[in-house]
Amino acid sequence: MNVPTPQQPADSRVRAGLLYGLAAYGLWGILPIYFKWLKAVPSIDIVAHRIVWSLIVLIILVSLARAWDQIRSAVRSRKAMAMLFLTALLIGTNWLLYVYAINSGHILAGSLGYYLNPLANILLGRFILKERLTRLQWTAVAIAAGGIAVLAMGALGTLWISLTLCFSFATYGLLRKIIHVESLAGLTIETALLFPLALGWLLVGGSEGRPMFGTNEQETMLLMAAGIVSTVPLLCFTAAARRLAYSTVGMLQFIAPTSQFLLAVAVYDEPFTTSHAIAFGCIWTALVLYVSSMIRDRRLQAQQECSELAES
């Protein structure tokens, strides 16, 4: 009979967090394809549809998961509601700017924002949550920062897009990590807070007096799909953020902007410069170093815990 060891519950939690993180960032990595299909629709209208249809999807999920008690508990907490109001504003701003970046031909600026985001997560994890980094992990952060600095110097005209995307989502993730509200309940409340603004915008005709459900059948179906497209990766992200060290979440996040970067260059013909090549090399070198350090530390910790168990 196997005797459970002290690290098993933590290991299971970390494995689940890694799977959620990979799912979230993998889906976000191919999201530009979806928004490019809707390039004829103004960005603010797309975001309004994301909010409206997301709330419908979330209500169904909450009912299936029987999570209404979690929502009622959060609503009764003034502190939780104040934090969720702030996170709703942050994610709404992030969504709007991201759609604008894609449909205005600035996918690379968006990918730079999400390349910056992991560094912001790692630093927030270190200085706000007091998570410790090894010397090798600090080296990885420095290499990645150097690569991003090179990339930023070649994209000063759109750097404001990158920085706003970075800080809005990094702050959103940090706040969602420290709020004691489950991912599904929290996202449902955030979406409900934004819902009146989104629905009101669509009812008055949106930004160009467009039909509320689009101008053709394909556009209508794509807009209705915004609920699933938006909620699934975000639920995976918040589930990952609650299970993993925030610095680890930061390193996983390189997956999405790398996919977006490749789409921008290979599919949508945005220019690939020398600065992009340098940044790409630096960032993936940093990722390899960080992950190697994380794996080594976990092995050492497991060996130490097994030794302590054997001695006891």
Side-chain angles (χ1 to χ4, degrees):
M1 181 172 140
N2 294 327
V3 178
T5 58
Q7 72 268 19
Q8 283 180 334
D11 286 348
S12 177
R13 184 177 177 83
V14 168
R15 280 196 297 271
L18 287 171
L19 289 174
Y20 281 126
L22 290 171
Y25 296 125
L27 290 170
W28 273 326
I30 60 174
L31 200 55
I33 298 172
Y34 168 77
F35 290 122
K36 280 291 188 182
W37 288 338
L38 286 169
K39 63 182 179 181
V41 182
S43 299
I44 191 168
D45 291 8
I46 294 175
V47 173
H49 275 282
R50 287 184 76 171
I51 294 166
V52 169
W53 295 109
S54 291
L55 185 59
I56 295 172
V57 171
L58 287 165
I59 288 173
I60 295 171
L61 291 176
V62 168
S63 299
L64 291 174
R66 299 179 180 179
W68 289 108
D69 286 344
Q70 296 174 8
I71 291 177
R72 283 190 286 268
S73 177
V75 169
R76 286 195 292 265
S77 169
R78 289 187 179 182
K79 181 179 179 180
M81 287 303 296
M83 296 282 272
L84 287 169
F85 179 78
L86 180 56
T87 56
L89 293 179
L90 286 168
I91 199 61
T93 300
N94 186 272
W95 281 356
L96 180 58
L97 188 54
Y98 179 62
V99 176
Y100 165 79
I102 292 172
N103 286 348
S104 61
H106 297 306
I107 297 177
L108 285 178
S111 71
L112 173 57
Y114 291 114
Y115 271 134
L116 287 168
N117 201 194
L119 294 180
N121 287 350
I122 291 165
L123 295 174
L124 286 171
R126 172 63 185 87
F127 294 108
I128 303 298
L129 302 178
K130 307 302 180 184
E131 297 174 355
R132 298 181 64 182
L133 298 180
T134 65
R135 185 175 300 177
L136 186 57
Q137 289 169 343
W138 275 119
T139 301
V141 171
I143 292 172
I148 291 168
V150 172
L151 190 56
M153 290 301 293
L156 291 176
T158 55
L159 192 57
W160 68 273
I161 295 176
S162 306
L163 292 175
T164 306
L165 285 173
C166 167
F167 289 110
S168 60
F169 198 69
T171 307
Y172 171 81
L174 175 67
L175 293 177
R176 284 307 310 269
K177 183 174 179 64
I178 63 179
I179 298 171
H180 296 295
V181 179
E182 290 297 325
S183 55
L184 178 58
L187 183 56
T188 302
I189 293 171
E190 289 169 348
T191 308
L193 290 170
L194 295 172
F195 180 82
L197 291 175
L199 182 61
W201 178 263
L202 293 175
L203 288 175
V204 299
S207 54
E208 297 177 358
R210 295 170 55 85
M212 181 175 177
F213 293 103
T215 57
N216 56 61
E217 184 176 337
Q218 180 181 348
E219 197 171 272
T220 300
M221 295 302 294
L222 286 170
L223 289 170
M224 291 177 68
I228 295 175
V229 169
S230 300
T231 56
V232 171
L234 200 52
L235 282 171
C236 289
F237 167 75
T238 52
R242 289 178 60 82
R243 290 167 172 81
L244 297 173
Y246 206 46
S247 50
T248 302
V249 173
M251 294 308 292
L252 282 176
Q253 197 159 5
F254 281 128
I255 295 169
T258 297
S259 299
Q260 294 165 11
F261 173 81
L262 293 173
L263 279 173
V265 174
V267 179
Y268 299 115
D269 297 321
E270 292 191 22
F272 179 73
T273 65
T274 302
S275 61
H276 288 128
I278 294 171
F280 189 87
C282 288
I283 286 163
W284 280 99
T285 300
L287 179 59
V288 170
L289 288 175
Y290 188 93
V291 172
S292 298
S293 175
M294 185 177 69
I295 292 172
R296 185 190 64 183
D297 290 347
R298 286 194 59 79
R299 284 177 178 170
L300 290 173
Q301 182 183 2
Q303 290 172 2
Q304 183 180 358
E305 289 174 347
C306 287
S307 297
E308 291 174 353
L309 183 63
E311 290 174 1
S312 63

